[in-house]
Amino acid sequence: MGAEHFARIEDKIAALMRTRETVVTMQGEALLPLEACIRSAVRPGSTALNVVTGPYGETFGGWLRSCGAEVVTVAAPFSGAVSPDEIAAALRANPAIDFVSLVHAEAATGNTNPVAEIGRVVREHGALLMLDAVASVAAEPLLTDEWGVDLCVIGGQKAMAGPAGVSVVSVSGRAWERIAANEAAPRRSYLSLLDWKERWLDGGRAVLPHAPAQLEMLALEQAADRIAADGLDAVIARHRAARGAVRAGVRALGGLTPYVVRREDAAPAATTLRAPDGVDARDVVAAALAADPSVPVQAGGGALAKEMIRVNHYGMAADRGIVLASLAALGAGLRGLGVGGVDVEGAVVAGGVEWDVVIGG
């Protein structure tokens, strides 16, 4: 793959992210640019605000501390989202904050945060905003420049239905200035954004700094082209329809309840559910997969494994048939475990009606 083709793929991804800022396509899973952003922009002795609404927010806090930053944490229950007012209060109480890290949507917990409103508050304060948009890109609107996001990281493996082996970060002019002034920013390192800037961007993207992951880059391009052909609005609508269908179906099913309480806080990429009282979520998942091994259903991770069920409906799984099959399998699993009052047929009908309403509307 030549430099011109590589740059053309970057331009396609930048358009999908709705940004005119520079982008860097890093040759690794999205944790690579996420860590690179923090280690590049956060200097020792600074103060950072880290928003925790799931496991990735917790990871960012560890990186921030290892950079020598004082970390102010704003956490929301995994059953909801953080509010702009909470962010504003934290910024007022800690005027030294100059960096804010936020996850747009957490597939692991099924929630999503109001980035547009949070971005406005952060920009008024003057801090940089880093956004993990891996689970939100192509599943819900992502307006990087309009929202004032300085460092925005995406991966192709979820709603884009693309590869996990490459990822992209957009970097604003303000962020480049901060990174260049940070003596602790990685240099001559796989984590270095400055290396990409000096060796790729500043040279007019004429010579690649190293051999690209060609298959992954081509897969990323195919994913972007497929979204463009379908229309981004249509792809987002399918993800919203999947979210609505699972939530409507579960309400009709009985036995399970949405883990994220409010619909507006629920991510379009995945829906999390609470297992019935006294029933282990892992047993529900095992029984559902025994009924239909093809459905994208799994137990929650870590401490949530006993109580949380996750229905993935991103990428190719944002599909009416797959969503309804997931509802049917969960219902069959609950029945197999002896959970009473389960209406499988009603769940499938309710989910189908909700899908048709969203897509038709």
Side-chain angles (χ1 to χ4, degrees), residues 172-195:
S172 72
R174 291 196 324 143
W176 281 126
E177 290 176 5
R178 179 77 61 83
I179 293 168
N182 181 15
E183 293 183 356
R187 289 170 171 80
R188 304 298 178 261
S189 163
Y190 206 56
L191 286 169
S192 178
L193 293 177
L194 284 174
D195 286 0

Side-chain angles (χ1 to χ4, degrees), residues 9-107:
I9 296 171
E10 285 190 329
D11 292 342
K12 292 179 179 181
I13 301 303
L16 182 64
M17 296 170 68
R18 298 296 189 260
T19 182
R20 294 182 179 275
E21 300 285 2
T22 54
V23 299
V24 172
T25 304
M26 302 190 79
Q27 309 295 280
E29 198 268 339
L31 284 173
L32 172 62
L34 287 166
E35 184 174 0
C37 287
I38 288 175
R39 298 201 180 280
S40 295
V42 177
R43 67 188 190 283
S46 62
T47 305
L49 172 62
N50 184 44
V51 180
V52 178
T53 53
Y56 286 100
E58 293 172 344
T59 297
F60 299 162
W63 288 339
L64 289 163
R65 293 182 184 92
S66 72
C67 289
E70 178 184 345
V71 180
V72 177
T73 302
V74 172
F78 292 172
S79 57
V82 71
S83 75
D85 289 343
E86 291 176 280
I87 303 301
L91 293 172
R92 285 194 301 271
N94 300 275
I97 289 172
D98 63 7
F99 184 90
V100 177
S101 49
L102 172 69
V103 178
H104 190 181
E106 292 260 16

Side-chain angles (χ1 to χ4, degrees), residues 15 65 67 84 94 98 108 115 126 141 152 193 225 239 258 260 283 294 296 300 328 345:
R65 293 182 184 92
C67 289
N94 300 275
D98 63 7
V115 180
C152 185
L193 293 177
D225 288 345
H239 284 83
V260 177
D283 293 336
S294 71
E345 295 76 14

Side-chain angles (χ1 to χ4, degrees), residues 213-308:
Q214 296 197 40
L215 293 179
E216 288 81 2
M217 288 297 295
L218 291 172
L220 183 64
E221 182 178 32
Q222 283 196 341
D225 288 345
R226 184 172 58 249
I227 292 168
D230 291 346
L232 179 58
D233 289 345
V235 175
I236 289 174
R238 287 201 297 271
H239 284 83
R240 286 176 168 169
R243 172 188 61 190
V246 172
R247 291 176 70 87
V250 164
R251 285 194 296 270
L253 178 65
L256 302 174
T257 54
Y259 200 93
V260 177
V261 177
R262 302 193 311 166
R263 181 187 179 111
E264 57 266 37
D265 295 338
T271 296
T272 49
L273 308 169
R274 286 189 185 275
D277 290 342
V279 179
D280 193 312
R282 293 167 293 190
D283 293 336
V284 177
V285 169
L289 292 174
D292 185 348
S294 71
V295 296
V297 175
Q298 66 185 88
L304 298 173
K306 283 188 170 184
E307 65 183 75
M308 179 184 284

Side-chain angles (χ1 to χ4, degrees), residues 105 107 135-136 139-140 158-159 239 243 266-271 311-315:
S136 59
E140 54 189 306
K158 288 192 164 60
H239 284 83
R243 172 188 61 190
T271 296
V311 181
N312 295 319
H313 41 72
Y314 53 73

